[in-house]
Amino acid sequence: MQTSVFEASPKVAELLQRYEHFLKEHIFPIELEVIYGSFKAFLPKLNELRNLAKKEGLFAPHLSTSEGGLGLDLFEFAYISELLGRSPLGHYIFNCQAPDIGNMELMHQFASEELKNKYLKPLQEGKIRSCFAMTEPQHAGSNPVHLSTRAVKEGDHYIINGHKWFTSSADGASFTIVMAVTDPENENPYQKASMILVPLDNPGYQLLRNIPIMGDAGEDYISHGEVKFTDCKVPVTNLIGREGAGFALAQERLGPGRIHHCMRWIGICERAMEMMCRRAIERELDPGRPLASQQTIQNWIAESYAEIKASRLMVLDTAFKIQHHGAKAAKEDISTIKFYVSKVLMNVIDRAIQVHGALGITDDTMLSFWYRHERGARIYDGPDEVHKSVLARKIIKSYQV
Ligand SMILES: Cc1cc2nc3c(=O)[nH]c(=O)nc-3n(C[C@H](O)[C@H](O)[C@H](O)COP(=O)(O)OP(=O)(O)OC[C@H]3O[C@@H](n4cnc5c(N)ncnc54)[C@H](O)[C@@H]3O)c2cc1C
């Protein structure tokens, strides 16, 4: 008998067991060394694991079977994303990591056959990585209609000039999708910009630096680039979708993306909660008096459990709605999960650190990596405050006559 409304289907449950085995066998044993060491130095080992994932039929779960994936729908993939979130390497090994997964979905829907063959196919096969360049240091990313990056048409080419930052995973990527203004005079601010694919070996492109995040600049996949386009010339056929459709496409890209992120965050919470409980049992204040016997610690464990459970039900419900009624019908739910789950993520990581005491802030556990790198969850994909406004406006409207 089904024990929960959102119990995974037998097909997904069987897959979860296989992914869990893979994580325990191959990923957990190396994750600390990879994330606190040199990601680049580990690339051969990581590629080996990616090949193994292919061999075991676990690669790219979000892609259709004809594209080499498992053909899972968004709702089914949500469960996998939760499990893979337990390791910072989880999504990467199975080629369903942000920002590539968003670019894959976008290109699948809107790129020309030529771009699909040249860039999407190797991306789906895990042979290359990509990034997404929209945010600019000099403009508020929360309202991205204000962009200085311009793409001017000259014959069969666009000439792109602009400065972007927080282009995640730019280091080592083969191409970016850049959001650039193509029609500055358009009266509708949402129709001024377009998405254009730029190969990163273009002489007009420059990775200025990997931006240090609380002291850690990272490298390769685990990095956020500051990048520059200077008279960067690309064929007009590198346009994705139609000219002026940049913001409409960005919305398409973000709907399912928030499910992926939220389930990944829940996976992190579950692992942090597990670490918190184990430490509370093992660490003794006096012989026979573990931390777990203290009521404050019990409160943190109970609160974390409740918050994680609420998050999980909310996100799965939203994924179900998107799956069956489309992202538009789930607009407010998508905003709700974004700000609710990102806050739960902060709460749970912080409590887990506190229970670990000094150990919690060292790089001897995963907690400090998450504390540093997941703080951004309340900022990217729309800062929490923007999502709260979207939701509140809708609620208030429902009471106005
Ligand atoms: C880890 C990380 C990864 C990222 N990856 C990418 C990427 O790959 N590609 C890319 O293009 N960008 C990326 N970004 C950038 C991200 O999209 C922006 O940081 C985000 O849109 C916010 O823009 P901003 O940083 O300019 O903040 P601002 O727009 O300057 O806002 C600052 C703060 O003001 C408050 N605020 C904003 N609007 C409102 C409002 N309407 N009501 C109340 N308060 C408000 C919020 O608290 C917000 O945090 C990433 C960011 C982070 C942190």
Side-chain angles (χ1 to χ4, degrees):
M1 205 181 91
Q2 199 173 356
T3 55
S4 148
V5 194
F6 287 120
E7 195 172 280
S9 67
K11 169 184 152 191
V12 174
E14 191 265 333
L15 276 174
L16 287 171
Q17 273 188 11
R18 290 172 56 205
Y19 278 106
E20 191 170 6
H21 178 76
F22 197 106
L23 280 169
K24 283 186 179 154
E25 197 71 16
H26 305 291
I27 301 183
F28 292 154
I30 60 163
E31 62 187 0
L32 276 177
E33 233 183 314
V34 178
I35 60 164
Y36 292 126
S38 164
F39 194 92
K40 276 191 176 142
F42 267 94
L43 280 177
K45 173 71 187 166
L46 297 174
N47 283 334
E48 211 179 275
L49 290 182
R50 282 179 148 208
N51 286 332
L52 185 63
K54 277 183 198 167
K55 233 160 99 188
E56 294 197 4
L58 296 172
F59 201 65
H62 59 294
L63 293 179
S64 66
T65 46
S66 63
E67 289 165 313
L70 301 190
L72 300 186
D73 64 28
L74 179 70
F75 185 66
E76 292 171 323
F77 176 65
Y79 292 87
I80 309 292
S81 190
E82 174 186 14
L83 181 69
L84 299 185
R86 295 171 75 92
S87 170
L89 303 177
H91 289 76
Y92 177 86
I93 295 295
F94 299 99
N95 202 29
C96 50
Q97 69 285 355
D100 298 290
I101 186 168
N103 286 346
M104 284 184 221
E105 284 166 353
L106 184 83
M107 291 181 71
H108 175 80
Q109 263 188 289
F110 301 104
S112 66
E113 284 310 309
E114 188 195 337
L115 291 182
K116 280 183 186 169
N117 285 331
K118 202 165 169 192
Y119 299 101
L120 176 59
K121 201 164 176 289
L123 186 66
Q124 290 174 330
E125 290 168 353
K127 291 181 177 151
I128 58 170
R129 279 198 302 96
S130 65
C131 52
F132 183 69
M134 176 152 141
T135 309
E136 300 181 353
Q138 66 271 43
H139 295 292
S142 308
N143 185 19
V145 290
H146 302 290
L147 294 173
S148 293
T149 301
R150 295 274 181 274
V152 178
K153 225 183 219 169
E154 271 184 27
D156 293 340
H157 288 85
Y158 284 116
I159 310 293
I160 305 172
N161 280 287
H163 182 189
K164 303 279 186 184
W165 82 335
F166 277 87
T167 305
S168 296
S169 312
D171 184 12
S174 296
F175 71 87
T176 188
I177 295 175
V178 64
M179 182 81 112
V181 173
T182 40
D183 184 5
E185 305 310 325
N186 198 309
E187 280 176 12
N188 184 340
Y190 293 98
Q191 290 180 5
K192 287 184 178 185
S194 306
M195 284 195 191
I196 300 168
L197 187 147
V198 177
L200 298 187
D201 57 2
N202 190 305
Y205 164 84
Q206 203 187 350
L207 171 64
L208 299 176
R209 60 168 179 155
N210 287 334
I211 307 162
I213 306 296
M214 301 191 193
D216 180 15
E219 61 180 21
D220 204 79
Y221 171 63
I222 303 183
S223 67
H224 304 284
E226 181 170 351
V227 306
K228 209 168 174 185
F229 302 87
T230 312
D231 295 330
C232 182
K233 191 172 171 182
V234 295
V236 286
T237 49
N238 279 20
L239 179 73
I240 296 183
R242 55 175 182 77
E243 220 176 65
F247 288 108
L249 265 54
Q251 280 313 313
E252 291 282 342
R253 194 179 176 278
L254 284 174
R258 295 205 174 105
I259 298 291
H260 307 159
H261 273 310
C262 286
M263 289 310 281
R264 183 176 66 80
W265 297 339
I266 291 168
I268 296 172
C269 288
E270 287 165 341
R271 182 109 185 262
M273 163 99 178
E274 193 179 298
M275 291 169 71
M276 170 161 57
C277 294
R278 289 193 197 288
R279 182 71 178 174
I281 291 167
E282 281 160 18
R283 189 72 159 173
E284 290 185 325
L285 296 166
D286 292 306
R289 193 163 69 99
L291 287 176
S293 66
Q294 302 303 298
Q295 199 180 25
T296 301
I297 309 280
Q298 292 165 0
N299 281 344
W300 290 341
I301 290 169
E303 283 165 7
S304 299
Y305 176 85
E307 288 172 6
I308 295 168
K309 187 165 182 174
S311 300
R312 194 170 185 274
L313 293 175
M314 243 190 239
V315 181
L316 287 172
D317 182 54
T318 305
F320 187 86
K321 216 179 211 176
I322 297 178
Q323 186 67 48
H324 295 284
H325 305 286
K328 210 169 168 195
K331 189 170 174 239
E332 286 76 28
D333 296 275
I334 294 170
S335 281
T336 308
I337 59 168
K338 165 63 189 38
F339 73 77
Y340 186 81
V341 185
S342 63
K343 185 67 172 61
V344 168
L345 176 65
M346 302 301 118
N347 294 345
V348 177
I349 294 173
D350 191 66
R351 289 181 197 128
I353 287 178
Q354 195 69 11
V355 169
H356 280 73
L359 174 63
I361 58 166
T362 67
D363 289 354
D364 289 354
T365 83
M366 206 61 71
L367 294 171
S368 72
F369 176 85
W370 283 325
Y371 191 75
R372 199 185 297 157
H373 289 281
E374 299 302 341
R375 177 59 182 84
R378 295 191 52 229
I379 298 168
Y380 61 76
D381 273 15
D384 289 2
E385 294 70 28
V386 176
H387 288 288
K388 286 180 185 172
S389 277
V390 169
L391 177 63
R393 281 203 304 268
K394 174 79 178 184
I395 295 169
I396 291 165
K397 204 170 164 196
S398 73
Y399 286 97
Q400 283 168 338
V401 279

PDB file of all heavy atoms in Angstrom, residues 36-66:
ATOM      1  N   TYR A  36      37.332  20.438  -2.094  1.00  0.00           N
ATOM      2  CA  TYR A  36      38.276  21.305  -1.384  1.00  0.00           C
ATOM      3  C   TYR A  36      39.667  21.278  -2.028  1.00  0.00           C
ATOM      4  O   TYR A  36      40.565  21.988  -1.614  1.00  0.00           O
ATOM      5  CB  TYR A  36      38.385  20.904   0.090  1.00  0.00           C
ATOM      6  CG  TYR A  36      37.117  21.182   0.884  1.00  0.00           C
ATOM      7  CD1 TYR A  36      36.499  20.176   1.624  1.00  0.00           C
ATOM      8  CD2 TYR A  36      36.530  22.448   0.883  1.00  0.00           C
ATOM      9  CE1 TYR A  36      35.337  20.419   2.349  1.00  0.00           C
ATOM     10  CE2 TYR A  36      35.361  22.699   1.605  1.00  0.00           C
ATOM     11  CZ  TYR A  36      34.779  21.671   2.338  1.00  0.00           C
ATOM     12  OH  TYR A  36      33.628  21.929   3.042  1.00  0.00           O
ATOM     13  N   GLY A  37      39.825  20.414  -3.030  1.00  0.00           N
ATOM     14  CA  GLY A  37      41.124  20.342  -3.708  1.00  0.00           C
ATOM     15  C   GLY A  37      41.017  20.989  -5.077  1.00  0.00           C
ATOM     16  O   GLY A  37      40.328  21.995  -5.242  1.00  0.00           O
ATOM     17  N   SER A  38      41.685  20.392  -6.057  1.00  0.00           N
ATOM     18  CA  SER A  38      41.645  20.948  -7.411  1.00  0.00           C
ATOM     19  C   SER A  38      40.661  20.154  -8.260  1.00  0.00           C
ATOM     20  O   SER A  38      40.888  18.984  -8.569  1.00  0.00           O
ATOM     21  CB  SER A  38      43.048  20.888  -8.035  1.00  0.00           C
ATOM     22  OG  SER A  38      42.940  21.070  -9.429  1.00  0.00           O
ATOM     23  N   PHE A  39      39.564  20.813  -8.618  1.00  0.00           N
ATOM     24  CA  PHE A  39      38.554  20.151  -9.449  1.00  0.00           C
ATOM     25  C   PHE A  39      39.181  19.713 -10.773  1.00  0.00           C
ATOM     26  O   PHE A  39      38.945  18.613 -11.254  1.00  0.00           O
ATOM     27  CB  PHE A  39      37.389  21.114  -9.698  1.00  0.00           C
ATOM     28  CG  PHE A  39      36.155  20.446 -10.241  1.00  0.00           C
ATOM     29  CD1 PHE A  39      35.166  19.988  -9.395  1.00  0.00           C
ATOM     30  CD2 PHE A  39      35.981  20.277 -11.615  1.00  0.00           C
ATOM     31  CE1 PHE A  39      34.025  19.368  -9.885  1.00  0.00           C
ATOM     32  CE2 PHE A  39      34.847  19.652 -12.121  1.00  0.00           C
ATOM     33  CZ  PHE A  39      33.858  19.199 -11.253  1.00  0.00           C
ATOM     34  N   LYS A  40      40.041  20.600 -11.310  1.00  0.00           N
ATOM     35  CA  LYS A  40      40.670  20.310 -12.618  1.00  0.00           C
ATOM     36  C   LYS A  40      41.516  19.041 -12.543  1.00  0.00           C
ATOM     37  O   LYS A  40      41.500  18.216 -13.452  1.00  0.00           O
ATOM     38  CB  LYS A  40      41.550  21.484 -13.060  1.00  0.00           C
ATOM     39  CG  LYS A  40      40.734  22.548 -13.755  1.00  0.00           C
ATOM     40  CD  LYS A  40      41.587  23.592 -14.433  1.00  0.00           C
ATOM     41  CE  LYS A  40      40.650  24.538 -15.158  1.00  0.00           C
ATOM     42  NZ  LYS A  40      41.049  25.912 -15.126  1.00  0.00           N
ATOM     43  N   ALA A  41      42.270  18.914 -11.441  1.00  0.00           N
ATOM     44  CA  ALA A  41      43.147  17.747 -11.311  1.00  0.00           C
ATOM     45  C   ALA A  41      42.329  16.457 -11.277  1.00  0.00           C
ATOM     46  O   ALA A  41      42.812  15.395 -11.653  1.00  0.00           O
ATOM     47  CB  ALA A  41      43.990  17.871 -10.046  1.00  0.00           C
ATOM     48  N   PHE A  42      41.086  16.559 -10.820  1.00  0.00           N
ATOM     49  CA  PHE A  42      40.247  15.371 -10.711  1.00  0.00           C
ATOM     50  C   PHE A  42      39.437  15.076 -11.979  1.00  0.00           C
ATOM     51  O   PHE A  42      38.696  14.099 -12.021  1.00  0.00           O
ATOM     52  CB  PHE A  42      39.277  15.511  -9.522  1.00  0.00           C
ATOM     53  CG  PHE A  42      39.831  14.918  -8.257  1.00  0.00           C
ATOM     54  CD1 PHE A  42      40.517  15.707  -7.354  1.00  0.00           C
ATOM     55  CD2 PHE A  42      39.681  13.562  -7.978  1.00  0.00           C
ATOM     56  CE1 PHE A  42      41.051  15.157  -6.193  1.00  0.00           C
ATOM     57  CE2 PHE A  42      40.211  13.009  -6.828  1.00  0.00           C
ATOM     58  CZ  PHE A  42      40.895  13.806  -5.929  1.00  0.00           C
ATOM     59  N   LEU A  43      39.570  15.930 -13.000  1.00  0.00           N
ATOM     60  CA  LEU A  43      38.733  15.733 -14.199  1.00  0.00           C
ATOM     61  C   LEU A  43      38.855  14.328 -14.806  1.00  0.00           C
ATOM     62  O   LEU A  43      37.837  13.719 -15.166  1.00  0.00           O
ATOM     63  CB  LEU A  43      39.022  16.808 -15.253  1.00  0.00           C
ATOM     64  CG  LEU A  43      38.326  18.161 -14.999  1.00  0.00           C
ATOM     65  CD1 LEU A  43      38.733  19.184 -16.048  1.00  0.00           C
ATOM     66  CD2 LEU A  43      36.805  18.022 -14.959  1.00  0.00           C
ATOM     67  N   PRO A  44      40.088  13.758 -14.928  1.00  0.00           N
ATOM     68  CA  PRO A  44      40.165  12.400 -15.494  1.00  0.00           C
ATOM     69  C   PRO A  44      39.350  11.401 -14.677  1.00  0.00           C
ATOM     70  O   PRO A  44      38.611  10.582 -15.231  1.00  0.00           O
ATOM     71  CB  PRO A  44      41.661  12.082 -15.435  1.00  0.00           C
ATOM     72  CG  PRO A  44      42.356  13.408 -15.388  1.00  0.00           C
ATOM     73  CD  PRO A  44      41.424  14.330 -14.676  1.00  0.00           C
ATOM     74  N   LYS A  45      39.427  11.493 -13.353  1.00  0.00           N
ATOM     75  CA  LYS A  45      38.682  10.576 -12.490  1.00  0.00           C
ATOM     76  C   LYS A  45      37.163  10.816 -12.645  1.00  0.00           C
ATOM     77  O   LYS A  45      36.363   9.867 -12.727  1.00  0.00           O
ATOM     78  CB  LYS A  45      39.114  10.805 -11.028  1.00  0.00           C
ATOM     79  CG  LYS A  45      38.322  10.040 -10.003  1.00  0.00           C
ATOM     80  CD  LYS A  45      38.624   8.554 -10.049  1.00  0.00           C
ATOM     81  CE  LYS A  45      37.716   7.750  -9.151  1.00  0.00           C
ATOM     82  NZ  LYS A  45      37.757   6.329  -9.395  1.00  0.00           N
ATOM     83  N   LEU A  46      36.791  12.095 -12.713  1.00  0.00           N
ATOM     84  CA  LEU A  46      35.365  12.429 -12.839  1.00  0.00           C
ATOM     85  C   LEU A  46      34.822  11.944 -14.193  1.00  0.00           C
ATOM     86  O   LEU A  46      33.690  11.463 -14.283  1.00  0.00           O
ATOM     87  CB  LEU A  46      35.149  13.941 -12.672  1.00  0.00           C
ATOM     88  CG  LEU A  46      35.533  14.508 -11.290  1.00  0.00           C
ATOM     89  CD1 LEU A  46      35.425  16.029 -11.268  1.00  0.00           C
ATOM     90  CD2 LEU A  46      34.656  13.912 -10.187  1.00  0.00           C
ATOM     91  N   ASN A  47      35.644  12.066 -15.234  1.00  0.00           N
ATOM     92  CA  ASN A  47      35.216  11.571 -16.549  1.00  0.00           C
ATOM     93  C   ASN A  47      35.066  10.055 -16.551  1.00  0.00           C
ATOM     94  O   ASN A  47      34.158   9.509 -17.188  1.00  0.00           O
ATOM     95  CB  ASN A  47      36.203  11.997 -17.644  1.00  0.00           C
ATOM     96  CG  ASN A  47      36.009  13.462 -18.003  1.00  0.00           C
ATOM     97  OD1 ASN A  47      34.909  13.996 -17.827  1.00  0.00           O
ATOM     98  ND2 ASN A  47      37.056  14.110 -18.464  1.00  0.00           N
ATOM     99  N   GLU A  48      35.951   9.411 -15.812  1.00  0.00           N
ATOM    100  CA  GLU A  48      35.855   7.950 -15.665  1.00  0.00           C
ATOM    101  C   GLU A  48      34.493   7.598 -15.043  1.00  0.00           C
ATOM    102  O   GLU A  48      33.803   6.686 -15.495  1.00  0.00           O
ATOM    103  CB  GLU A  48      36.967   7.539 -14.703  1.00  0.00           C
ATOM    104  CG  GLU A  48      37.575   6.175 -14.898  1.00  0.00           C
ATOM    105  CD  GLU A  48      38.675   5.995 -13.854  1.00  0.00           C
ATOM    106  OE1 GLU A  48      39.830   6.443 -14.104  1.00  0.00           O
ATOM    107  OE2 GLU A  48      38.380   5.455 -12.791  1.00  0.00           O
ATOM    108  N   LEU A  49      34.124   8.344 -14.012  1.00  0.00           N
ATOM    109  CA  LEU A  49      32.840   8.078 -13.337  1.00  0.00           C
ATOM    110  C   LEU A  49      31.653   8.388 -14.254  1.00  0.00           C
ATOM    111  O   LEU A  49      30.644   7.695 -14.236  1.00  0.00           O
ATOM    112  CB  LEU A  49      32.733   8.880 -12.041  1.00  0.00           C
ATOM    113  CG  LEU A  49      33.654   8.441 -10.907  1.00  0.00           C
ATOM    114  CD1 LEU A  49      33.427   9.280  -9.655  1.00  0.00           C
ATOM    115  CD2 LEU A  49      33.430   6.962 -10.577  1.00  0.00           C
ATOM    116  N   ARG A  50      31.808   9.436 -15.058  1.00  0.00           N
ATOM    117  CA  ARG A  50      30.737   9.753 -16.007  1.00  0.00           C
ATOM    118  C   ARG A  50      30.559   8.605 -17.013  1.00  0.00           C
ATOM    119  O   ARG A  50      29.439   8.239 -17.354  1.00  0.00           O
ATOM    120  CB  ARG A  50      31.054  11.058 -16.766  1.00  0.00           C
ATOM    121  CG  ARG A  50      30.780  12.296 -15.930  1.00  0.00           C
ATOM    122  CD  ARG A  50      31.119  13.553 -16.689  1.00  0.00           C
ATOM    123  NE  ARG A  50      30.226  14.632 -16.277  1.00  0.00           N
ATOM    124  CZ  ARG A  50      29.871  15.655 -17.046  1.00  0.00           C
ATOM    125  NH1 ARG A  50      30.319  15.759 -18.269  1.00  0.00           N
ATOM    126  NH2 ARG A  50      29.054  16.577 -16.601  1.00  0.00           N
ATOM    127  N   ASN A  51      31.678   8.047 -17.461  1.00  0.00           N
ATOM    128  CA  ASN A  51      31.589   6.915 -18.392  1.00  0.00           C
ATOM    129  C   ASN A  51      30.950   5.703 -17.731  1.00  0.00           C
ATOM    130  O   ASN A  51      30.162   4.983 -18.347  1.00  0.00           O
ATOM    131  CB  ASN A  51      32.979   6.561 -18.938  1.00  0.00           C
ATOM    132  CG  ASN A  51      33.445   7.593 -19.950  1.00  0.00           C
ATOM    133  OD1 ASN A  51      32.616   8.225 -20.611  1.00  0.00           O
ATOM    134  ND2 ASN A  51      34.746   7.795 -20.046  1.00  0.00           N
ATOM    135  N   LEU A  52      31.291   5.504 -16.457  1.00  0.00           N
ATOM    136  CA  LEU A  52      30.692   4.396 -15.717  1.00  0.00           C
ATOM    137  C   LEU A  52      29.172   4.611 -15.579  1.00  0.00           C
ATOM    138  O   LEU A  52      28.381   3.674 -15.736  1.00  0.00           O
ATOM    139  CB  LEU A  52      31.342   4.292 -14.328  1.00  0.00           C
ATOM    140  CG  LEU A  52      30.922   3.113 -13.473  1.00  0.00           C
ATOM    141  CD1 LEU A  52      31.323   1.789 -14.143  1.00  0.00           C
ATOM    142  CD2 LEU A  52      31.599   3.194 -12.089  1.00  0.00           C
ATOM    143  N   ALA A  53      28.792   5.865 -15.321  1.00  0.00           N
ATOM    144  CA  ALA A  53      27.360   6.189 -15.199  1.00  0.00           C
ATOM    145  C   ALA A  53      26.644   5.868 -16.522  1.00  0.00           C
ATOM    146  O   ALA A  53      25.521   5.355 -16.526  1.00  0.00           O
ATOM    147  CB  ALA A  53      27.189   7.664 -14.847  1.00  0.00           C
ATOM    148  N   LYS A  54      27.315   6.147 -17.638  1.00  0.00           N
ATOM    149  CA  LYS A  54      26.736   5.831 -18.965  1.00  0.00           C
ATOM    150  C   LYS A  54      26.563   4.326 -19.095  1.00  0.00           C
ATOM    151  O   LYS A  54      25.516   3.835 -19.522  1.00  0.00           O
ATOM    152  CB  LYS A  54      27.662   6.317 -20.085  1.00  0.00           C
ATOM    153  CG  LYS A  54      27.473   7.779 -20.418  1.00  0.00           C
ATOM    154  CD  LYS A  54      28.369   8.191 -21.591  1.00  0.00           C
ATOM    155  CE  LYS A  54      28.494   9.703 -21.618  1.00  0.00           C
ATOM    156  NZ  LYS A  54      29.525  10.220 -22.487  1.00  0.00           N
ATOM    157  N   LYS A  55      27.626   3.609 -18.727  1.00  0.00           N
ATOM    158  CA  LYS A  55      27.623   2.154 -18.859  1.00  0.00           C
ATOM    159  C   LYS A  55      26.494   1.537 -18.020  1.00  0.00           C
ATOM    160  O   LYS A  55      25.865   0.563 -18.424  1.00  0.00           O
ATOM    161  CB  LYS A  55      28.974   1.602 -18.381  1.00  0.00           C
ATOM    162  CG  LYS A  55      29.610   0.709 -19.408  1.00  0.00           C
ATOM    163  CD  LYS A  55      31.067   0.525 -19.229  1.00  0.00           C
ATOM    164  CE  LYS A  55      31.504  -0.717 -18.555  1.00  0.00           C
ATOM    165  NZ  LYS A  55      32.950  -0.661 -18.276  1.00  0.00           N
ATOM    166  N   GLU A  56      26.260   2.125 -16.859  1.00  0.00           N
ATOM    167  CA  GLU A  56      25.237   1.580 -15.964  1.00  0.00           C
ATOM    168  C   GLU A  56      23.835   2.096 -16.294  1.00  0.00           C
ATOM    169  O   GLU A  56      22.876   1.824 -15.583  1.00  0.00           O
ATOM    170  CB  GLU A  56      25.594   1.905 -14.508  1.00  0.00           C
ATOM    171  CG  GLU A  56      26.860   1.197 -14.078  1.00  0.00           C
ATOM    172  CD  GLU A  56      27.043   1.146 -12.567  1.00  0.00           C
ATOM    173  OE1 GLU A  56      26.146   1.587 -11.829  1.00  0.00           O
ATOM    174  OE2 GLU A  56      28.094   0.653 -12.142  1.00  0.00           O
ATOM    175  N   GLY A  57      23.731   2.889 -17.372  1.00  0.00           N
ATOM    176  CA  GLY A  57      22.419   3.379 -17.812  1.00  0.00           C
ATOM    177  C   GLY A  57      21.816   4.393 -16.860  1.00  0.00           C
ATOM    178  O   GLY A  57      20.600   4.471 -16.691  1.00  0.00           O
ATOM    179  N   LEU A  58      22.677   5.222 -16.227  1.00  0.00           N
ATOM    180  CA  LEU A  58      22.170   6.214 -15.275  1.00  0.00           C
ATOM    181  C   LEU A  58      22.448   7.651 -15.725  1.00  0.00           C
ATOM    182  O   LEU A  58      22.087   8.601 -15.035  1.00  0.00           O
ATOM    183  CB  LEU A  58      22.819   5.990 -13.897  1.00  0.00           C
ATOM    184  CG  LEU A  58      22.491   4.655 -13.216  1.00  0.00           C
ATOM    185  CD1 LEU A  58      23.334   4.472 -11.963  1.00  0.00           C
ATOM    186  CD2 LEU A  58      21.011   4.578 -12.876  1.00  0.00           C
ATOM    187  N   PHE A  59      23.089   7.796 -16.897  1.00  0.00           N
ATOM    188  CA  PHE A  59      23.528   9.118 -17.359  1.00  0.00           C
ATOM    189  C   PHE A  59      22.341   9.945 -17.860  1.00  0.00           C
ATOM    190  O   PHE A  59      21.411   9.414 -18.462  1.00  0.00           O
ATOM    191  CB  PHE A  59      24.538   8.919 -18.493  1.00  0.00           C
ATOM    192  CG  PHE A  59      25.443  10.082 -18.748  1.00  0.00           C
ATOM    193  CD1 PHE A  59      26.368  10.495 -17.804  1.00  0.00           C
ATOM    194  CD2 PHE A  59      25.391  10.766 -19.957  1.00  0.00           C
ATOM    195  CE1 PHE A  59      27.224  11.550 -18.040  1.00  0.00           C
ATOM    196  CE2 PHE A  59      26.246  11.836 -20.213  1.00  0.00           C
ATOM    197  CZ  PHE A  59      27.171  12.220 -19.251  1.00  0.00           C
ATOM    198  N   ALA A  60      22.389  11.248 -17.608  1.00  0.00           N
ATOM    199  CA  ALA A  60      21.411  12.209 -18.132  1.00  0.00           C
ATOM    200  C   ALA A  60      19.956  11.751 -17.950  1.00  0.00           C
ATOM    201  O   ALA A  60      19.230  11.594 -18.923  1.00  0.00           O
ATOM    202  CB  ALA A  60      21.708  12.488 -19.611  1.00  0.00           C
ATOM    203  N   PRO A  61      19.531  11.580 -16.704  1.00  0.00           N
ATOM    204  CA  PRO A  61      18.181  11.061 -16.464  1.00  0.00           C
ATOM    205  C   PRO A  61      17.065  11.929 -17.050  1.00  0.00           C
ATOM    206  O   PRO A  61      15.980  11.426 -17.353  1.00  0.00           O
ATOM    207  CB  PRO A  61      18.071  11.011 -14.927  1.00  0.00           C
ATOM    208  CG  PRO A  61      19.158  11.898 -14.414  1.00  0.00           C
ATOM    209  CD  PRO A  61      20.250  11.843 -15.432  1.00  0.00           C
ATOM    210  N   HIS A  62      17.343  13.226 -17.223  1.00  0.00           N
ATOM    211  CA  HIS A  62      16.311  14.166 -17.684  1.00  0.00           C
ATOM    212  C   HIS A  62      16.102  14.126 -19.197  1.00  0.00           C
ATOM    213  O   HIS A  62      15.126  14.665 -19.700  1.00  0.00           O
ATOM    214  CB  HIS A  62      16.718  15.594 -17.290  1.00  0.00           C
ATOM    215  CG  HIS A  62      18.031  15.991 -17.886  1.00  0.00           C
ATOM    216  ND1 HIS A  62      19.223  15.386 -17.532  1.00  0.00           N
ATOM    217  CD2 HIS A  62      18.351  16.901 -18.848  1.00  0.00           C
ATOM    218  CE1 HIS A  62      20.215  15.920 -18.228  1.00  0.00           C
ATOM    219  NE2 HIS A  62      19.708  16.833 -19.032  1.00  0.00           N
ATOM    220  N   LEU A  63      17.055  13.515 -19.927  1.00  0.00           N
ATOM    221  CA  LEU A  63      16.931  13.514 -21.393  1.00  0.00           C
ATOM    222  C   LEU A  63      16.074  12.350 -21.876  1.00  0.00           C
ATOM    223  O   LEU A  63      15.958  11.326 -21.190  1.00  0.00           O
ATOM    224  CB  LEU A  63      18.316  13.408 -22.037  1.00  0.00           C
ATOM    225  CG  LEU A  63      19.266  14.588 -21.860  1.00  0.00           C
ATOM    226  CD1 LEU A  63      20.597  14.291 -22.543  1.00  0.00           C
ATOM    227  CD2 LEU A  63      18.653  15.864 -22.421  1.00  0.00           C
ATOM    228  N   SER A  64      15.524  12.506 -23.075  1.00  0.00           N
ATOM    229  CA  SER A  64      14.727  11.417 -23.651  1.00  0.00           C
ATOM    230  C   SER A  64      15.652  10.241 -23.966  1.00  0.00           C
ATOM    231  O   SER A  64      16.875  10.420 -24.095  1.00  0.00           O
ATOM    232  CB  SER A  64      14.040  11.899 -24.930  1.00  0.00           C
ATOM    233  OG  SER A  64      15.028  12.164 -25.899  1.00  0.00           O
ATOM    234  N   THR A  65      15.082   9.061 -24.128  1.00  0.00           N
ATOM    235  CA  THR A  65      15.908   7.889 -24.418  1.00  0.00           C
ATOM    236  C   THR A  65      16.596   8.056 -25.783  1.00  0.00           C
ATOM    237  O   THR A  65      17.730   7.630 -25.960  1.00  0.00           O
ATOM    238  CB  THR A  65      15.062   6.598 -24.381  1.00  0.00           C
ATOM    239  OG1 THR A  65      13.875   6.830 -25.113  1.00  0.00           O
ATOM    240  CG2 THR A  65      14.721   6.197 -22.959  1.00  0.00           C
ATOM    241  N   SER A  66      15.917   8.723 -26.733  1.00  0.00           N
ATOM    242  CA  SER A  66      16.539   8.897 -28.051  1.00  0.00           C
ATOM    243  C   SER A  66      17.750   9.834 -27.975  1.00  0.00           C
ATOM    244  O   SER A  66      18.619   9.827 -28.844  1.00  0.00           O
ATOM    245  CB  SER A  66      15.519   9.421 -29.069  1.00  0.00           C
ATOM    246  OG  SER A  66      15.085  10.691 -28.657  1.00  0.00           O
TER     247      SER A  66
END
